[in-house]
Amino acid sequence: MAKLTFIGGIHPNDGKNLSKRKPIEDILPKGEMVYPLSQHIGAPAKAIVAKGDRVLAGQMIAEAGGFVSVPIFASVSGTVKCIEPRRVVTGDMIMSIVVENDCLYEEVEMAPKAPLEELSREDIIGIIRDSGIVGMGGAGFPTHVKLSPKDPEKIDYVIANCAECEPYLTSDYRRMVEEPEKVVAGLKILLRLFPNAVGILAVEDNKEDCIDTFRSMTQGDPQITVKALKTKYPQGGERQLIYACTGRKINSTMLPADVGCVVNNVDTIVAVYRAVMEGHPLFERIVTVTGDAVVNPQNFRVRIGMSYQEILEAAGGFRIQPEKIICGGPMMGFGMFEMNVPTTKTSTALLALTVDEVAAMKPGPCIRCGRCVEVCPGRVVPSLLADCAEHFDEEGFLQHNGMECCECGCCSYICPAKRPLTQEIKSMRKIQLAKRKK
């Protein structure tokens, strides 16, 4: 039987053995907390506290700035120190609420709004919105917007993205191992929003223990199936996941809902469960700290707003001074030049590597081997698109479907000439997306 997968993709060294067997450890921050008002796609949140105000963990400190926006909650108790621009992992200066942590960790009273069976569809979506939940796999799209398609009756599949195909990352794996009941229960909550949908737990086949656990838990449940996907990067990409699970195709001009699908990351689904069943807003998440330069690679449950420096110290610091520090994974993450920046709702990992292999590469001319085309899941010609981008040929870039690139990095990884194909294409895509917004 053919394994469920997509066309293209690569098999990089996954590096997951460094942290996959380490149970999730709770850590509490000691230093000041920084809450950027832009932690998601869409309008920034608007601060509703002022300097000198005392706040509690779980208290809303910024309200949504529009429909495509979500509120932000304090993750510790303390006093608002200031509201000012602070640097974030991308290097940008973002208006942020800074809270002086009193290390008491006092919380507001949290309780579910009502029993699940008494909640309407609108109630559930409202709870998700008011709890500040966004896509926690990296994109940060407000979850209540994703769960509000024009025709809910036309949604056929609600897919739980359990692939975690990015090398080194193991936070979703630990979540599935340690809290599988919350993943399944969260998926069932989402299924209540779509009367004609079935649920899919989509797991790469290198996580056999998770597949076995989920199948045992959903045995006899006609509403949920478990699908074992071929282990391949970027199996967890939204387009690739939908195709592997359903055979349906989407492009850059479409949304998953256009083909009857809704996709959510494991951590997002657990956040939905906690919001609806426990009344717990989103102010913590699991972050993988890993890499061969880290003393004790680990998965931590951290309070959002905590600095990366504190999380690194909880992992024992650096064994050797790394040549490369990455926020996220090696394929789609980005380099960090400073550790004293805050974690956000979309922070997935801190990766520290002793050798910066990319910096040591010397790009050469294209040898027309076609390997980038073979591995491209977007089915475009990366070498051609990179040439268009390098020469600012916008017309040629669009003519050759440059916007279909998902920026996964497969082409750069496989290129024998070591050309920075993804980076060139990404720069042109950024220009085109900015023009579309105008």
Side-chain angles (χ1 to χ4, degrees):
M1 179 179 175
K3 291 184 178 179
L4 302 175
T5 190
F6 59 96
I7 299 172
I10 57 176
H11 296 86
N13 172 35
D14 67 10
K16 294 181 185 288
N17 284 333
L18 289 171
S19 59
K20 68 179 294 185
R21 292 180 176 82
K22 304 286 186 67
I24 299 167
E25 182 178 329
D26 291 275
I27 55 173
L28 293 173
K30 303 298 182 184
E32 70 177 16
M33 306 293 284
V34 179
Y35 305 96
L37 295 177
S38 294
Q39 298 190 30
H40 51 265
I41 292 174
K46 297 178 180 178
I48 57 173
V49 293
K51 181 179 179 180
D53 289 350
R54 187 166 192 274
V55 298
L56 302 177
Q59 176 182 331
M60 186 187 297
I61 56 176
E63 64 185 5
F67 177 64
V68 186
S69 184
V70 293
I72 294 171
F73 297 82
S75 55
V76 298
S77 56
T79 304
V80 177
K81 184 178 178 181
C82 57
I83 301 175
E84 64 182 22
R86 287 294 184 98
R87 199 169 300 283
V88 295
V89 290
T90 57
D92 299 320
M93 296 293 285
I94 301 294
M95 190 61 70
S96 305
I97 299 171
V98 182
V99 173
E100 192 68 48
N101 180 10
D102 62 14
C103 296
L104 298 176
Y105 311 108
E106 295 176 315
E107 298 183 348
V108 299
E109 185 177 345
M110 290 176 274
K113 180 177 180 180
L116 180 59
E117 57 273 12
E118 296 179 12
L119 296 174
S120 66
R121 182 179 194 278
E122 291 70 26
D123 290 334
I124 294 174
I125 291 178
I127 291 170
I128 292 169
R129 178 194 63 228
D130 296 341
S131 298
I133 300 174
V134 302
M136 296 167 71
F141 194 79
T143 301
H144 72 277
V145 179
K146 184 181 284 191
L147 299 177
S148 304
K150 292 181 180 179
D151 298 304
E153 295 80 11
K154 293 184 179 180
I155 299 299
D156 302 316
Y157 300 101
V158 177
I159 303 174
N161 185 350
C162 308
E164 196 170 43
C165 62
E166 181 80 34
Y168 287 94
L169 274 59
T170 58
S171 57
D172 284 350
Y173 172 73
R174 292 311 310 177
R175 178 77 86 177
M176 291 185 284
V177 168
E178 297 181 41
E179 300 179 331
E181 68 286 346
K182 292 182 180 179
V183 179
V184 174
L187 179 57
K188 288 182 178 179
I189 291 172
L190 296 182
L191 287 171
R192 292 176 67 91
L193 307 178
F194 306 104
N196 302 319
V198 295
I200 297 175
L201 289 157
V203 192
E204 280 193 325
D205 58 9
N206 63 347
K207 304 174 184 65
E208 292 183 9
D209 49 350
C210 297
I211 293 171
D212 293 341
T213 298
F214 284 145
R215 282 180 173 163
S216 175
M217 292 177 67
T218 59
Q219 189 174 13
D221 188 338
Q223 203 177 15
I224 298 177
T225 59
V226 180
K227 295 200 173 184
L229 311 179
K230 184 176 180 179
T231 299
K232 182 168 63 169
Y233 176 85
Q235 189 68 266
E238 205 166 52
R239 298 185 209 174
Q240 291 71 45
L241 193 72
I242 289 172
Y243 181 77
C245 292
T246 70
R248 300 180 182 186
K249 299 179 181 179
I250 61 172
N251 59 37
S252 63
T253 65
M254 301 168 67
L255 295 172
D258 294 332
V259 292
C261 297
V262 170
V263 181
N264 281 285
N265 164 265
V266 166
D267 229 11
T268 309
I269 291 173
V270 173
V272 167
Y273 168 85
R274 297 199 69 190
V276 175
M277 303 303 292
E278 301 173 1
H280 196 291
L282 178 58
F283 63 76
E284 62 183 21
R285 65 159 300 138
I286 302 173
V287 175
T288 302
V289 180
T290 188
D292 61 353
V294 176
V295 171
N296 182 28
Q298 181 64 279
N299 289 287
F300 296 110
R301 184 179 285 107
V302 307
R303 304 288 181 106
I304 291 168
M306 185 177 180
S307 79
Y308 279 92
Q309 183 62 46
E310 276 201 86
I311 300 173
L312 173 65
E313 289 169 2
F318 293 135
R319 181 177 61 84
I320 300 173
Q321 188 61 32
E323 286 189 1
K324 188 73 172 181
I325 304 174
I326 300 172
C327 174
M331 298 302 298
M332 297 191 74
F334 42 87
M336 294 177 65
F337 61 91
E338 185 179 349
M339 296 294 293
N340 193 26
V341 290
T343 53
T344 64
K345 297 177 182 183
T346 58
S347 298
T348 56
L350 173 65
L351 173 61
L353 302 172
T354 56
V355 179
D356 186 352
E357 295 181 11
V358 175
M361 294 176 180
K362 294 183 178 180
C366 177
I367 63 173
R368 301 291 189 270
C369 65
R371 294 182 189 177
C372 61
V373 181
E374 291 177 4
V375 301
C376 177
R379 314 316 300 152
V380 294
V381 183
S383 57
L384 178 59
L385 294 177
D387 285 341
C388 291
E390 191 174 356
H391 294 91
F392 299 100
D393 181 3
E394 297 185 33
E395 184 178 343
F397 184 85
L398 295 174
Q399 182 182 347
H400 293 97
N401 300 314
M403 300 310 288
E404 295 308 310
C405 169
C406 63
E407 302 178 10
C408 65
C410 288
C411 54
S412 294
Y413 176 87
I414 206 71
C415 178
K418 309 303 180 186
R419 298 180 68 201
L421 301 172
T422 305
Q423 291 79 358
E424 296 282 5
I425 297 170
K426 186 175 182 177
S427 64
M428 180 59 79
R429 276 176 46 84
K430 192 173 183 178
I431 293 171
Q432 298 306 313
L433 289 171
K435 288 186 174 182
R436 284 184 183 182
K437 284 184 179 180
K438 289 182 180 180

